[in-house]
Amino acid sequence: MRHQGLLTALLVGSLALAACGGDDGDEAEGDTAAADDATGADDATDDVTEDATGDQPGADDVAGDQAVDDGGDASRTTELPPIDDAPAASPTNGSATLTLVNGESYEFSILCALEPQEAAGSEILFSVTSYDDIGLDITQFGSSGTITDMATISVYDESLETLWEAGTLYESFGGSIVLTLDGSTVRASASFYPGGDVAARPVEGDIVANC
C-alpha cells in the first residue's frame, strides 16, 4: 500500500511537470510571434515614411528653384520714361555797378537769370540779384501773369531797408526808366527815389551789370 501510494504520488508529480513544461513552451512561442509581428509593423512604417519623403521635394531643391526664378527676374531691365521737361538754366555770376549823379556809387557781386521764367504767377524775362551787404534786385516782367510789362530796380541795406528805388510805377510821378538786355549785359538808366519815397526828389543814375 505504501509503494502504491508512492508510485501514485510520483505519477501525479510527473504529469504536473509535463503540463507546466507544455505551457511554458507555448508562451515562449507566443512571445516570439508577437516580436516578429512588431518588427514587421516597424518595417512597414519605415517603408511608408520613405515613400512619403521620397515624393516630396526637399527644402534645398525648393530654394534652388526659387533662386533660379529670382535670378531670371533680376536680369530683366526696365526702361525709364523719357524726361519731357528740361531743367531750368542755372544762374550765372557776374558784377554790377550803380552810379548816381550825386556822386554815390555801389559795386555788387550778382547772380543773373537771363532766360524767361515764371515766378509768383508772372512771367519774368530776366533778373539780376545781389546778396551783398548792400543788395540789388533788377527785374523785367513779361507780358503775361499778374504783373505785366513792368521794370523794377531796388537797392537795399542788410536789414532790407530800401536805399534807392526806380521802376515803371514811378513814371506817373515824373520818373523814368529804360532797362535793356544785350547778350549777357543788363543796362539801365533811371530816376532813383531815395527810400522809394515818391514825394522825394529823384536822383538820376546808371547801372551796368555784366553777367
Side-chain angles (χ1 to χ4, degrees), residues 119-144:
S122 296
E123 179 188 27
I124 297 177
L125 299 182
F126 59 87
S127 64
V128 175
T129 306
S130 175
Y131 297 103
D132 295 345
D133 292 340
I134 302 298
L136 173 68
D137 182 84
I138 302 174
T139 303
Q140 176 63 63
F141 291 92
S143 58
S144 63

Side-chain angles (χ1 to χ4, degrees), residues 84-175:
D84 296 330
D85 298 329
S90 300
T92 59
N93 297 323
S95 60
T97 301
L98 167 62
T99 304
L100 300 174
V101 295
N102 65 358
E104 293 185 32
S105 64
Y106 300 89
E107 298 286 338
F108 308 94
S109 58
I110 58 174
L111 294 174
C112 305
L114 305 181
E115 299 294 332
Q117 57 185 308
E118 184 175 331
S122 296
E123 179 188 27
I124 297 177
L125 299 182
F126 59 87
S127 64
V128 175
T129 306
S130 175
Y131 297 103
D132 295 345
D133 292 340
I134 302 298
L136 173 68
D137 182 84
I138 302 174
T139 303
Q140 176 63 63
F141 291 92
S143 58
S144 63
T146 55
I147 301 175
T148 59
D149 301 321
M150 182 179 295
T152 62
I153 302 175
S154 296
V155 179
Y156 48 88
D157 62 18
E158 57 187 356
S159 64
L160 303 183
E161 192 75 23
T162 299
L163 300 178
W164 298 95
E165 195 165 66
T168 305
L169 287 176
Y170 292 95
E171 291 180 334
S172 59
F173 299 98

Side-chain angles (χ1 to χ4, degrees), residues 8 22 30 47-48 62 68 79 95 100 113 125-126 131 140 169 178-181 191 196 198 205 209:
T8 301
D47 293 340
V48 172
V62 174
V68 171
E79 294 183 0
S95 60
L100 300 174
L125 299 182
F126 59 87
Y131 297 103
Q140 176 63 63
L169 287 176
V178 177
L179 181 60
T180 62
L181 171 62
S191 303
V198 296

Side-chain angles (χ1 to χ4, degrees), residues 64-77:
D65 294 340
Q66 185 66 35
V68 171
D69 293 340
D70 293 343
D73 292 339
S75 63
R76 299 174 184 173
T77 58

